[in-house]
Each structure stands twice: as structure tokens, then as C-alpha cells.
Amino acid sequence: MARIEAQSPEFDERLIQLKPVAKTVKGGRKRRFSALMVVGDGKGNVGAAIGKAVGVPDAIRKGVQKAKTRMVSVRRNGTTIPYQVIGRVGAARVLLKPASPGTGVIAGGPVRAVVEAAGIRDLLTKNLGSDNAITCVWAALEGLGRLRDPKEVARIRGVSVESFPRYLRRLDVKIEGDEQDDLVIKGQSAVEDNTEKEPDRVLEGSKGDNQGTGTEKASSNSNKAK
């Protein structure tokens, strides 16, 4: 999971969890506050960290500073992600699935904060393991950090992007000379044209039948008159 250093002055800072913690020492107990923070710039960079201090403001400030030094670059496809991925950390498993524009973010509190801070607006998620807020955030970051660009994967494998499934080739990556998709589109248009012409043929046949029945009736009437 590649990490980058934050450089943008504007960040979306979100408090996920705030709880008191205590540490037992020789002289008694030291009480502090633990703050789980998520920081993102809304442009594909997001990070999370835990800050601890005696006061709540100091704990939040420490969490934000640590999260900015642990930013992860997320590969996006418009307002969603390129393909389905499952993030795993410990007992937590978070399913991240791309969604069509206008769907929105279907997720719980911790995962929603991570996804929206990264600039993703349409996504389907499901928690498949532990519901602990900290491990869910780490699992979501692990899954988002494993997303790759099709060109990068093709270069590492030594193959062309055309060998990938069609749903991966529909990304922002433009493929030159993609004749297979053109053939499919042409075949679909030909079928549509045939279906449009079929009703006309049926109508023509029905008209011919009606005309044939009309001539037969006229001949029968003339025979009766004779």
C-alpha cells in the first residue's frame, strides 16, 4: 500500500471515535483520550491515525498530524472505484463495490468517512467481519490502497490492456484499435434493425391475407348470383 505525504492545505478532517483510555503505572492510573481521525483532500488521497493526549483538543490535533503523514493514494474511476475489492485487516473484512452515478455512498460510519474523504461519491460497501471502528477503517484503507490502474497492471504482467475483461477496459483508459467492442456494437445495431423491420413484414403478410380473403369472397358472391 503506497503512502504519500500530504501537501494540500485544505483537508477534510473527520473524527471517527473518541474514547477515554487509562494506563496503570506504579503511581496509579494515567487517564488520556484517544481520537481516531480520518483526513482526506477529496482528490484521491486519504489517511487515518489515532492520537492520544490528556485533553481532547490535543488528541484530535495529534491524530490529524499523524494522518497527514500516512496518506494513501486511491485509484478512482469517475465518482466510484474501478473494480470490486475486499480489504482485510485482522478480523475485519470490508467489501468495496463500484456503483453507478447517483447511487451515493452506502456504508457505515467509519467506512463512509474514509470513502468520502477520498473523494468517492458512489460506492456500495458491506462489513463482512468485525464491526470494530478502528479495524474497519484500516481494512477500508487497505482495500482502497490495493486498487491499480489497468495500464500499470498490464505493464507489470507484460500483456496488453485488451486482454483484460470488458468491465476493466471501460475505465478512463483509452484503448486504441479496440475492434472487438466495435464488432459487438455493430452486431447489436444489426439485430435492432431486424427487429424493427419484422413488424412491417407481418403487417404486409396480414394485408396480403386480407386481400386474398377479399377476392375469394367476391368470387363466391358471383357464383351465387349465377
Side-chain angles (χ1 to χ4, degrees):
M1 183 166 53
R3 292 184 177 180
I4 62 174
E5 186 176 355
Q7 297 179 355
S8 177
E10 299 180 358
F11 290 100
D12 182 11
E13 303 174 358
R14 303 195 179 194
L15 176 62
I16 306 301
Q17 187 182 70
L18 179 66
K19 61 180 181 179
V21 294
K23 180 181 178 181
T24 303
V25 294
K26 187 176 181 180
R29 287 187 177 183
K30 289 186 177 180
R31 298 185 179 275
R32 295 185 178 185
F33 288 94
S34 173
L36 175 60
M37 300 297 299
V38 172
V39 178
D41 59 356
K43 300 177 182 179
N45 299 320
V46 62
I50 298 176
K52 294 180 181 180
V54 177
V56 174
D58 293 336
I60 294 175
R61 178 178 53 81
K62 286 184 178 181
V64 171
Q65 290 178 352
K66 289 182 180 180
K68 288 181 179 180
T69 60
R70 301 175 182 179
M71 301 287 285
V72 177
S73 179
V74 179
R75 166 64 182 172
R76 297 179 298 168
N77 181 25
T79 59
T80 185
I81 59 177
Y83 49 88
Q84 178 177 317
V85 66
I86 298 179
R88 296 180 176 87
V89 171
R93 291 191 303 157
V94 177
L95 171 65
L96 306 174
K97 190 174 181 180
S100 58
T103 304
V105 177
I106 310 300
V111 179
R112 174 184 290 272
V114 175
V115 170
E116 292 181 349
I120 299 173
R121 297 293 175 261
D122 301 301
L123 191 69
L124 302 174
T125 68
K126 185 173 180 60
N127 186 8
L128 304 176
S130 174
D131 58 351
N132 183 272
I134 298 175
T135 53
C136 284
V137 169
W138 300 151
L141 286 174
E142 194 271 339
L144 293 175
R146 284 195 289 111
L147 295 173
R148 292 186 178 181
D149 186 275
K151 283 187 175 180
E152 180 184 356
V153 177
R155 180 179 55 80
I156 295 174
R157 296 183 180 180
V159 298
S160 63
V161 185
E162 297 179 1
S163 62
F164 291 165
R166 289 189 63 189
Y167 74 92
L168 288 178
R169 289 183 284 159
R170 291 178 182 174
L171 304 181
D172 297 335
V173 181
K174 295 183 179 180
I175 304 172
E176 297 180 358
D178 193 359
E179 299 178 355
Q180 184 176 0
D181 293 344
D182 295 338
L183 292 174
V184 172
I185 294 172
K186 290 179 181 177
Q188 291 177 353
S189 60
V191 172
E192 292 175 358
D193 294 340
N194 292 335
T195 55
E196 292 177 357
K197 292 179 180 178
E198 285 179 358
D200 298 337
R201 294 175 182 174
V202 173
L203 291 175
E204 291 175 359
S206 61
K207 290 180 181 178
D209 296 340
N210 294 332
Q211 292 176 358
T213 53
T215 54
E216 290 176 358
K217 289 180 180 179
S219 60
S220 62
N221 294 331
S222 62
N223 292 332
K224 288 181 179 179
K226 291 178 181 180

